[in-house]
Amino acid sequence: MKKQNLKAWLYLLPAIAFLGVFMVYPLFDVVIYSLEEGYNSASQSFFGVGLYNFSYVLHDPYFLQAVKNTLILVVITVPVSTGLALLISLGLNSIKTLKNLYQTVYFLPYVTNTLAVGLVFMILFKKTAYSDGLINLLINFFGGRSVDFIGGPYWAKMMVMCIYTVWIVLPFKILILTGSLASVNQDYYNAAKIDGTSKWRTFWRITLPLISPMLFYLIITGFIGAFKAYSDAVALFGVDLNAAGMNTIVGYVYDMLYGNSGGYPSYASAAALILFSIVFTITCVNLRTRKRLQF
Amino acid sequence: MKIVLEHVTKRYPNRNRKIKTEVIAASDLNFEIPDGQLIGLLGPSGCGKSTTLNLISGLEPPTEGRIYFGETDVTDLPPEKRGVGLVFQNYALYPHLTALQNIMFPLQNLKGENRPSKQQMEERAVETAKLVQIDQLLERRPKEMSGGQQQRVAIARALVKRPGVLLLDEPLSNLDARLRLQTREEIRRIQRETGITTVFVTHDQEEAMSISDSIVVMKDGAVHQIGKPQNVYDDPVNLFVAKFLGTPPINVFTGEVKNGSLSIGEEAVLRVPGAPDGEVSVGIRPEGFVPDENGAFGCGLDRVEIMGRDTSVVFTHPLMENEQGRAVISAELAAGLSGDKVRFSLKPNKTHLFGPDGERIRFDI
């Protein structure tokens, strides 16, 4: 038994070593950075130890804006994308002809580069002094007035950001959900049919509970993914996100490290730890609800 | 409620689209299941018995023919309007619901006046659970129950709406041998107590024969014989039915009828008055052999297996379909058997003749 254990640990050693060097050590390092006040990376010196970095970050209007943006993004895109994916999967599952074609079409965005999709979105939504994008042409057609979605009001930018995020995360969710819907044993549906169960009730009482493990997986990973959003914002609004007012928490961390105002690893570390604690808390809450609902 | 099938046929398009021919899952089924009986649909896998069950339940529409419950034509009715209870082979219990919730599920689907109050639903569910003796386990989820218990929950769920017809698809195939014996008695008891017309599908002839009022033997989508289990066993209409029923199976030899006498090889083994001359397949039930020093039928003796109550004699014969045959005789008669030869005389009522097409050839006993 003991020998076996030793062998097992030996097999695990490479992974543990890598994780230790590239995950655990930096984690501790981040905690240390975040507590060192006035750290200077050039001279490797600091004034003292304390919570000033956290206080600074939490009072920084840019950070607060980033938190607000990220929260709006999470609250809107996770339910919307999961719900949409479920609807589309149910549709895909119930058609027979051209099913494969539609599945491929819905999966295409997943294999497309994020920045390329961002470019397409910019073209669709943009408005310059001389020309309108397709969306604005449509708005004009229906008698509305052009809106500058990329450089205009906050709600317009937020809307584009949300649509873009939903668009990006949708294919993966559809893929997972069509798979889990197809794996529900047909006998459950036959049994429901014999008992005269209405379509609505079949969905709520049978289909949904049976695919709920996958749904939970998607919601949890969706939350985590949305909290870590950054490249999507860059794809749409460029690298100076603070100026556009569309920064995210990860974007703020990046800016603190390398941006125009960069060179503040301590602030970056503090912000990263705040993000970590938010994601951690929400994931714990999610897992708890999941446990209660599990069968 | 009696069930009548009239010229019911079910055809599917072939899976492989390049093949234009259709698959016939059930062809021209005609039979009547009398009210309150327990009927076993019996046949090898792929014979169309599950299709027949699905046709009766309404999960699949027939291509041709009509189905009646009592006097009502239900052919075009959807399953929920037919008033059937169906127990699936894998039970199909909803895994996220407790036994009680599973049993109550069909009642909760009812609408309008038919919908019982919450309390009535629970009362009826508990009542049905008592009938199948699982009223102690109502709070458990399917995962927390044994196969036999899940089976009972599935039966309770099928019965709770008090359907006119109960259908069971291979109800015992997922249970271990001991539980299978127990559960089949249980199904019989529940059927007797409720008096509900019941059809169950099985590929196990012993199962079908032991509890059915009648059995329907099927092969390749067609009904071969219908009747009381004992009658079908004693008087099979063709070679397939004869071979399919009985353990140990019937022993089949090639023989010839000439002038009312049956011979296997050189030996004239039995008088078969009334049978036309020609080549025949001879099926002899294991209990049709009587060891007899002066018997007409000689075989090679392989070994004698003692099974307590009776003894089975394993013998060989060059004209036999299988390598070894089996005769079951009483233990006293087996005492004298030794050496490598054995002689039998044959019981005429246990010896059946079949023509080259497999159809039964009758003779006067």
Side-chain angles (χ1 to χ4, degrees):
Chain A
M1 195 60 200
K2 253 200 163 155
K3 212 174 178 182
Q4 285 249 322
N5 260 334
L6 198 72
K7 231 179 175 179
W9 282 113
L10 212 63
Y11 287 135
L12 289 171
L13 192 62
I16 289 174
F18 271 98
L19 281 174
V21 172
F22 294 108
M23 285 279 303
V24 181
Y25 167 71
L27 259 176
F28 280 106
D29 224 24
V30 166
V31 175
I32 291 166
Y33 275 136
S34 73
L35 294 173
E36 290 175 351
E37 290 172 2
Y39 176 79
N40 185 318
S41 53
S43 63
Q44 300 264 334
S45 64
F46 56 95
F47 305 140
V49 173
L51 294 172
Y52 171 76
N53 294 323
F54 289 93
S55 159
Y56 174 88
V57 167
L58 286 171
H59 288 98
D60 185 349
Y62 283 139
F63 182 74
L64 295 180
Q65 182 65 40
V67 170
K68 183 183 159 199
N69 290 340
T70 309
L71 282 179
I72 292 175
L73 200 64
V74 168
V75 168
I76 292 178
T77 63
V78 174
V80 168
S81 64
T82 313
L84 261 181
L86 187 58
L87 277 179
I88 293 173
S89 311
L90 284 169
L92 277 175
N93 214 40
S94 57
I95 59 169
K96 285 211 177 73
T97 42
L98 299 181
K99 185 175 183 168
N100 288 332
L101 176 74
Y102 279 114
Q103 256 170 350
T104 314
V105 168
Y106 281 112
F107 195 62
L108 274 179
Y110 193 63
V111 291
T112 315
N113 187 301
T114 323
L115 296 174
V117 179
L119 190 68
V120 172
F121 265 72
M122 268 174 77
I123 294 168
L124 281 176
F125 282 96
K126 82 174 171 186
K127 172 188 182 301
T128 63
Y130 315 106
S131 68
D132 279 343
L134 183 66
I135 301 294
N136 273 321
L137 289 178
L138 280 174
I139 292 176
N140 288 336
F141 180 78
F142 287 106
R145 280 178 54 201
S146 300
V147 180
D148 187 354
F149 285 98
I150 306 299
Y154 178 70
W155 66 265
K157 286 190 281 193
M158 201 39 154
M159 197 178 85
V160 175
M161 179 79 179
C162 287
I163 295 174
Y164 175 86
T165 308
V166 169
W167 174 257
I168 287 289
V169 297
L170 208 51
F172 179 69
K173 297 190 171 182
I174 293 174
L175 182 78
I176 297 287
L177 285 178
T178 39
S180 72
L181 280 175
S183 68
V184 174
N185 192 333
Q186 193 60 36
D187 279 347
Y188 292 127
Y189 295 128
N190 280 339
K193 221 195 281 176
I194 292 267
D195 294 334
T197 319
S198 65
K199 280 224 164 106
W200 190 243
R201 197 169 133 79
T202 306
F203 174 74
W204 283 106
R205 295 294 306 272
I206 300 170
T207 311
L208 209 55
L210 287 176
I211 62 166
S212 66
M214 268 305 150
L215 222 47
F216 264 106
Y217 164 75
L218 288 179
I219 289 171
I220 290 174
T221 52
F223 267 117
I224 295 171
F227 268 114
K228 296 198 326 201
Y230 172 54
S231 63
D232 311 345
V234 171
L236 287 171
F237 305 108
V239 283
D240 196 356
L241 290 170
N242 278 337
M246 291 307 295
N247 212 349
T248 62
I249 302 180
V250 174
Y252 180 87
V253 173
Y254 180 86
D255 286 346
M256 276 301 169
L257 281 172
Y258 308 110
N260 285 339
S261 54
Y264 302 103
S266 290
Y267 296 153
S269 300
L273 283 176
I274 292 168
L275 173 63
F276 172 75
S277 58
I278 296 174
V279 174
F280 186 75
T281 314
I282 288 186
T283 307
C284 284
V285 171
N286 263 327
L287 286 172
R288 271 194 92 100
T289 19
R290 177 187 178 162
K291 224 176 230 164
R292 204 175 307 155
L293 288 173
Q294 220 168 25
F295 50 85
Chain B
M1 204 177 329
K2 75 172 182 190
I3 305 168
V4 182
L5 273 71
E6 263 182 27
H7 302 291
V8 172
T9 298
K10 178 72 186 175
R11 286 188 290 261
Y12 296 103
N14 206 307
R15 274 250 176 100
N16 184 347
R17 278 189 212 150
K18 280 177 197 149
I19 303 172
K20 284 280 184 265
T21 54
E22 289 177 315
V23 177
I24 299 173
S27 81
D28 198 29
L29 302 179
N30 283 297
F31 56 85
E32 183 180 325
I33 297 167
D35 183 32
Q37 287 219 341
L38 178 62
I39 301 292
L41 281 180
L42 177 63
S45 42
C47 74
K49 51 196 193 303
S50 287
T51 305
T52 310
L53 205 71
N54 286 342
L55 290 169
I56 296 175
S57 71
L59 283 175
E60 288 179 44
T63 319
E64 280 162 34
R66 312 301 301 175
I67 299 167
Y68 299 90
F69 283 3
E71 300 306 320
T72 339
D73 185 344
V74 297
T75 317
D76 302 318
L77 285 184
E80 68 269 19
K81 297 237 168 86
R82 294 190 181 192
V84 293
L86 177 54
V87 177
F88 290 83
Q89 187 169 0
N90 59 6
Y91 317 138
L93 293 176
Y94 307 123
H96 54 289
L97 302 180
T98 63
L100 183 68
Q101 287 168 329
N102 263 293
I103 299 172
M104 274 165 63
F105 196 88
L107 295 177
Q108 290 161 345
N109 288 330
L110 296 173
K111 284 191 196 91
E113 292 169 19
N114 295 328
R115 192 182 169 93
S117 71
K118 230 175 174 183
Q119 201 187 339
Q120 283 171 320
M121 282 188 200
E122 202 163 327
E123 273 168 21
R124 265 172 73 176
V126 171
E127 193 184 305
T128 319
K130 278 196 178 126
L131 176 72
V132 297
Q133 298 172 347
I134 44 147
D135 45 318
Q136 307 297 321
L137 309 168
L138 287 173
E139 291 312 312
R140 295 210 191 160
R141 298 258 165 88
K143 240 208 266 173
E144 300 153 355
M145 289 187 276
S146 70
Q149 290 164 342
Q150 289 182 32
Q151 164 81 287
R152 284 160 195 245
V153 176
I155 294 176
R157 185 177 68 179
L159 285 176
V160 75
K161 271 209 309 195
R162 296 176 193 148
V165 172
L166 177 64
L167 306 168
L168 303 137
D169 191 359
E170 298 268 4
L172 307 175
S173 61
N174 283 353
L175 304 176
D176 62 51
R178 225 172 66 94
L179 210 52
R180 207 173 293 169
L181 274 179
Q182 216 177 56
T183 310
R184 79 184 189 201
E185 296 306 320
E186 194 71 1
I187 290 174
R188 185 64 183 156
R189 177 186 67 78
I190 293 165
Q191 194 270 333
R192 283 244 171 84
E193 273 177 37
T194 53
I196 188 171
T197 312
T198 305
V199 182
F200 81 102
V201 156
T202 178
H203 60 267
D204 183 340
Q205 48 98 13
E206 200 185 314
E207 204 173 290
M209 295 191 31
S210 58
I211 60 170
S212 311
D213 291 313
S214 287
I215 56 174
V216 177
V217 186
M218 295 184 69
K219 188 197 176 193
D220 298 337
V223 171
H224 280 235
Q225 193 167 2
I226 303 174
K228 291 209 166 70
Q230 191 66 50
N231 294 353
V232 177
Y233 178 82
D234 286 339
D235 195 6
V237 296
N238 58 32
L239 188 56
F240 164 73
V241 177
K243 275 181 173 171
F244 196 72
L245 294 186
T247 35
I250 198 164
N251 304 291
V252 182
F253 305 84
T254 16
E256 197 184 1
V257 175
K258 216 170 193 180
N259 302 326
S261 167
L262 169 69
S263 46
I264 297 173
E266 298 296 304
E267 296 169 318
V269 293
L270 194 69
R271 293 284 308 151
V272 286
D277 290 2
E279 288 245 325
V280 288
S281 294
V282 187
I284 308 170
R285 292 280 179 206
E287 65 273 23
F289 297 89
V290 183
D292 180 354
E293 274 173 37
N294 307 314
F297 188 35
C299 294
L301 178 62
D302 189 70
R303 62 184 188 276
V304 177
E305 286 175 4
I306 292 149
M307 299 187 294
R309 183 166 46 86
D310 39 38
T311 301
S312 85
V313 180
V314 180
F315 59 85
T316 56
H317 193 281
L319 289 172
M320 192 159 52
E321 204 172 67
N322 297 332
E323 234 165 77
Q324 289 185 331
R326 208 170 262 273
V328 176
I329 58 177
S330 66
E332 301 94 68
L333 287 172
L337 296 178
S338 60
D340 56 359
K341 289 266 185 286
V342 60
R343 294 202 77 78
F344 297 110
S345 58
L346 303 177
K347 293 181 188 166
N349 61 339
K350 292 289 176 189
T351 305
H352 309 306
L353 304 184
F354 303 95
D357 54 354
E359 288 305 307
R360 177 84 179 273
I361 297 171
R362 294 180 189 278
F363 58 89
D364 308 320
I365 293 170

